[in-house]
Amino acid sequence: MAVRRFLRHKLAIAGVVVLLLVVLATVCAPLLTGHDPLKVDLSQVRQPPSGEHLLGTDGSGRDVFARLLYAGRVSLLVGVFSALLAVVIGSVLGAVAGILGGWVDALIMRAADVFLSFPVLVVMIVIAGILGPSITTMVIAIGLFTWPRAGRVVRGVTLSLREREYVQAAQAFGARTGWLVVHHVLPAVLGSVVVVATIAVADGILIEASLSFLGLGVQPPQPSWGNMLTDAQRLTVISQMPWLWIPPGVAVAVTVLSVNFVGDGLRDALDPRESS
Amino acid sequence: MGAYLVRRVLVSVLVLVLVSIGIFWLFRLAPGDPVEMMLPPQNRGPGSEAFIAAKRAELGLDEPVWVQYFTWLGNAVTGDLGYSLDTGRSVSDLLGERVGPTVYLMGLSLLLALVIAVPLGLLAAVRKGRFADYAASVVSLGAVCTPPFFLGILGIYVFSLKLGLLPSAGMSTPGQYSVGDSLSHLLMPLVILAFSQSGQFTRYVRSSVIAELHADYVRTAEAKGVSATGVVTRHVLRNALIPVITIVALSLPNVLAGAVVIETVFAWPGMGQLAIASFQGRDYPVIIGFALFFSIMVLLSNLIADLLYTLVDPRVSLR
C-alpha cells in the first residue's frame, strides 16, 4: 500500500532516479574518470572543458570533473551522517519527553526551541573560528543544532500513543520506559522519522555547501561541492571560468531538490495524516 | 501578562548565561596560550619564564576558571568586549558600525520576502491541488533548495559581468553617492536574500490559510452570503497571518545567517562579512563579540515572537 502510494508520486520517482544516478556516479568515480582529484598539474592550469578534461581544470590544474565526483562523496556523507546524528538525538529526547511528560518534557522542549533558533552557520563561525574547521566538527554541529525537528515529531507521536489502550495496558502490566520505547514508540514513529531524516539529509547537504563555501567546513585540497565554489569569490573566475563553479552549484541544487521530492513522496506514502 | 513576561525574560537571561558559559569554555579550548602568543620564540631568553608568569598574573590568567569567567562576563555586560587582534580597535565599535548595513539589508529582505510569500501562499492555498498550487510549490521549493550563494554568483555573472547592469560588490561606488547608485548596489543582495527566505514563508502561509479555510466561521460567512474573495481577504487572511507573524520573528536568526553568506558574496560591509573576516584571521575577540551579539539577538527574537503571538491573537491566554 505504502509502496503504491509512493509510486503514484511522479516527482518522488524522478527524485529517486536522480539520486541513484548521483550516488552511483560518486561511488563509481574511479570508473568514470581516470583523473586523480587531488593531483596538481601546473602545466594544465585553468583549462576550459575538453575531451581530456570534461569540465576543464582548476587553478592548480586539477581535473574539475574528477573533483566534482569525489566532492559528491564528501557532501553526501556529511548530509547522511549529520542527519543520522540529528535523528538519533531527536528520537531519544523526543521519546523521553513524550513518555515522561511533566518538567522533563518542558525542559527538553525548551532546549529544543533554543537549539533550533541558533543557525548552524553562525555556530560554526564561532566553533571553527576558535577550534579550527574540520569535517567531524561540522557533522557534530549540524546534528547537535538540527535534532529538534526530529525531536518534536517523535514527541508528538509519543504523546498521542500515551492515550492508546494497548500502551496503557502495557504500562498497567508494569512495562518499563525503555521497553515501551522499543516495542511501542519506535515502530509507531518510524514512518515520520524516516520522512524527517530525509529532509534532514537535504538540509545537511545545503548547510555543508554554505559552510565549506565560506571556508568553515571541508578544507581544501579535499574537494566538496561547497568548497569548489570558494574560488568563485573572484570576479575573473566568475566571468571567465564558469566551468569551475556552475557544476558544483547545480549538483547541490539538483541533489537537494531530489532529496526533498523523495521526502515528500515518503511523507505521502508512510504518513498520510501529515500530507498536505 | 506581567508575570508571564517576567518569567519569559528570566528564562531568556538564564539561557544567555548558559550560552556565555559555552562561549567562554570554547574560548578556553582554543589552541595556544594567549601570553605565549605575545612572545615570539626568537625573543625568548633566560628571563622569559618569569615574564610569562608575571604577565599571566597581570591578565588574571592564574585565577581560578570561574573567577576568570565572571571577570570576562562583567566586562562584556558593561560593553567592554576587548580589542580586535587584527586592527586593535574596540570590538564594540567594530560591531556597532556593522549593525546598520546588516539591519538595512535584512529588514528590506524580510519585507520583500513577505510581499512575495503572502500572495503566493494565499493563491496556492485557495487553488489547492491545481496548477497555481503546483507552480507556487515549485517556486518555493526552488528557493529552499538552491544555495543562496550560488544564486548570488549566478547573479553577478549575468547582471554584473555579462549585461553590465548592476554592480557586483559593496553598498555604493566610492566617491559618487546617489540614490540610484545605492539602490543598484542593494538590488541583487536584497532580491536573493528575500527569495531564499520566501520559500519557507510561502509554505507557512499556504498551510496556515488551508487550516483556516476549514474553520467554522468561514462556513458562517459563506452562509451569510459573503463573496469568496471577501471571506478570504476579510476573515481567513487575518487569522492565517497570526502564526506567520511568529514564524517571521523566529526566522530572524536564520535571515541573519543568510545575510552572512550574501554579504560575503557581494562584499556588503555588514556583520556577516566582519564575522567571516574575523574567522579567517582567527580574531578571537571579534568572533566572541559577534557570538554574544548574535545570541542576544536570537533570544530577543524568540521573546518578540512569543509576545507578538499573545498580543495579536486574543484567543491565546497567558499563563
Side-chain angles (χ1 to χ4, degrees):
Chain A
M1 190 58 202
V3 174
R4 207 178 326 146
R5 273 202 299 266
F6 185 82
L7 289 177
R8 251 201 332 246
H9 215 289
K10 289 196 195 70
L11 285 175
I13 304 296
V16 169
V17 172
V18 171
L19 263 189
L20 275 179
L21 286 176
V22 171
V23 171
L24 262 180
T26 58
V27 171
C28 306
L31 301 175
L32 295 172
T33 174
H35 290 285
D36 178 345
L38 300 179
K39 188 167 170 289
V40 172
D41 182 355
L42 293 178
S43 66
Q44 296 283 318
V45 171
R46 290 183 179 153
Q47 296 291 313
S50 64
E52 173 67 15
H53 298 287
L54 289 177
L55 292 173
T57 60
D58 69 4
S60 310
R62 295 172 297 207
D63 182 72
V64 175
F65 183 60
R67 287 180 72 73
L68 186 71
L69 294 178
Y70 286 95
R73 292 184 176 182
V74 179
S75 299
L76 292 174
L77 283 179
V78 169
V80 169
F81 278 107
S82 59
L84 270 180
L85 186 62
V87 165
V88 169
I89 301 177
S91 303
V92 171
L93 289 180
V96 169
I99 289 179
L100 295 183
W103 66 269
V104 178
D105 181 30
L107 186 72
I108 292 179
M109 285 300 110
R110 194 73 231 160
D113 290 344
V114 172
F115 273 93
L116 204 57
S117 50
F118 282 89
V120 184
L121 188 94
V122 176
V123 174
M124 273 304 286
I125 291 179
V126 181
I127 298 179
I130 294 175
L131 301 181
S134 86
I135 297 187
T136 322
T137 324
M138 172 167 62
V139 169
I140 293 175
I142 300 177
L144 216 55
F145 283 84
T146 51
W147 67 263
R149 286 177 213 285
R152 283 177 181 171
V153 168
V154 172
R155 171 181 175 267
V157 178
T158 313
L159 275 181
S160 68
L161 275 183
R162 271 209 316 197
E163 307 299 318
R164 303 290 287 271
E165 283 88 354
Y166 66 90
V167 177
Q168 288 174 344
Q171 263 174 331
F173 278 118
R176 269 193 252 130
T177 307
W179 192 90
L180 280 176
V181 170
V182 173
H183 287 88
H184 288 315
V185 178
L186 280 184
V189 298
L190 204 60
S192 324
V193 166
V194 168
V195 175
V196 176
T198 316
I199 305 297
V201 172
D203 287 347
I205 295 173
L206 265 183
I207 296 172
E208 183 280 323
S210 288
L211 289 175
S212 302
F213 168 70
L214 294 170
L216 299 161
V218 180
Q219 297 299 302
Q222 182 172 32
S224 89
W225 285 338
N227 75 19
M228 286 178 75
L229 280 143
T230 309
D231 266 351
Q233 288 185 31
R234 287 204 305 274
L235 290 181
T236 48
V237 173
I238 300 181
S239 75
Q240 270 132 48
M241 286 158 262
W243 64 86
L244 283 183
W245 55 269
I246 291 182
V250 171
V252 174
V254 166
T255 308
V256 172
L257 202 62
S258 310
V259 178
N260 267 300
F261 283 151
V262 174
D264 279 353
L266 285 174
R267 192 194 324 268
D268 289 352
L270 299 174
D271 203 1
R273 282 162 303 171
E274 291 274 315
S275 65
S276 42
Chain B
M1 180 85 196
Y4 171 81
L5 193 62
V6 169
R7 209 180 61 211
R8 289 290 292 111
V9 171
L10 282 180
V11 170
S12 301
V13 170
L14 179 70
V15 172
L16 191 60
V17 170
L18 289 177
V19 169
S20 74
I21 291 175
I23 294 172
F24 186 73
W25 173 70
L26 259 182
F27 189 39
R28 303 254 325 163
L29 281 180
D33 180 294
V35 178
E36 300 261 345
M37 276 193 277
M38 287 176 183
L39 200 64
Q42 64 269 26
N43 292 357
R44 300 257 166 112
S48 42
E49 291 298 318
F51 170 78
I52 287 176
K55 203 73 190 167
R56 290 183 73 86
E58 186 191 321
L59 291 172
L61 290 171
D62 54 350
E63 306 268 10
V65 176
W66 62 271
V67 173
Q68 290 187 40
Y69 168 73
F70 280 110
T71 315
W72 172 75
L73 189 67
N75 288 341
V77 167
T78 52
D80 177 7
L81 293 167
Y83 296 88
S84 159
L85 299 177
D86 184 31
T87 57
R89 298 185 49 209
S90 129
V91 172
S92 26
D93 283 358
L94 273 176
L95 289 174
E97 67 191 33
R98 298 295 187 123
V99 172
T102 296
V103 170
Y104 174 56
L105 179 63
M106 271 177 63
L108 289 177
S109 307
L110 261 181
L111 215 62
L112 183 60
L114 285 174
V115 168
I116 300 172
V118 171
L120 202 60
L122 188 65
L123 183 74
V126 174
R127 305 240 140 209
K128 188 183 168 200
R130 294 203 247 157
F131 176 75
D133 186 17
Y134 288 117
S137 81
V138 167
V139 171
S140 57
L141 200 59
V144 174
C145 293
T146 321
F149 60 89
F150 181 56
L151 288 179
I153 296 170
L154 268 180
I156 291 176
Y157 181 66
V158 175
F159 295 105
S160 306
L161 299 170
K162 292 293 155 188
L163 301 176
L165 289 175
L166 295 168
S168 66
M171 273 181 89
S172 58
T173 316
Q176 39 174 296
Y177 179 81
S178 74
V179 176
D181 180 63
S182 48
L183 278 183
S184 70
H185 279 87
L186 175 66
L187 194 61
M188 269 205 288
L190 170 69
V191 170
I192 290 169
L193 192 56
F195 177 66
S196 59
Q197 291 301 321
S198 70
Q200 196 198 7
F201 291 164
T202 308
R203 290 174 163 194
Y204 279 115
V205 173
R206 177 182 178 274
S207 58
S208 177
V209 169
I210 287 176
E212 288 295 329
L213 279 174
H214 295 297
D216 287 339
Y217 66 83
V218 173
R219 214 175 316 147
T220 312
E222 276 170 353
K224 278 164 53 186
V226 180
S227 70
T229 338
V231 172
V232 170
T233 52
R234 253 176 294 150
H235 297 281
V236 172
L237 195 56
R238 286 174 63 172
N239 283 315
L241 288 186
I242 291 171
V244 175
I245 293 173
T246 320
I247 295 300
V248 170
L250 284 178
S251 72
L252 282 177
N254 271 317
V255 183
L256 183 53
V260 170
V261 183
I262 290 297
E263 283 177 7
T264 309
V265 174
F266 289 100
W268 188 268
M271 310 266 313
Q273 203 203 24
L274 177 72
I276 295 300
S278 57
F279 151 73
Q280 281 161 350
R282 295 293 188 279
D283 198 340
Y284 299 134
V286 183
I287 297 173
I288 287 168
F290 173 75
L292 279 178
F293 173 88
F294 193 85
S295 312
I296 293 172
M297 211 206 76
V298 164
L299 295 169
L300 270 182
S301 54
N302 280 3
L303 211 58
I304 293 171
D306 269 14
L307 281 181
L308 276 180
Y309 194 62
T310 50
L311 283 179
V312 177
D313 193 345
R315 289 171 299 188
V316 177
S317 63
L318 300 173
R319 273 165 293 118

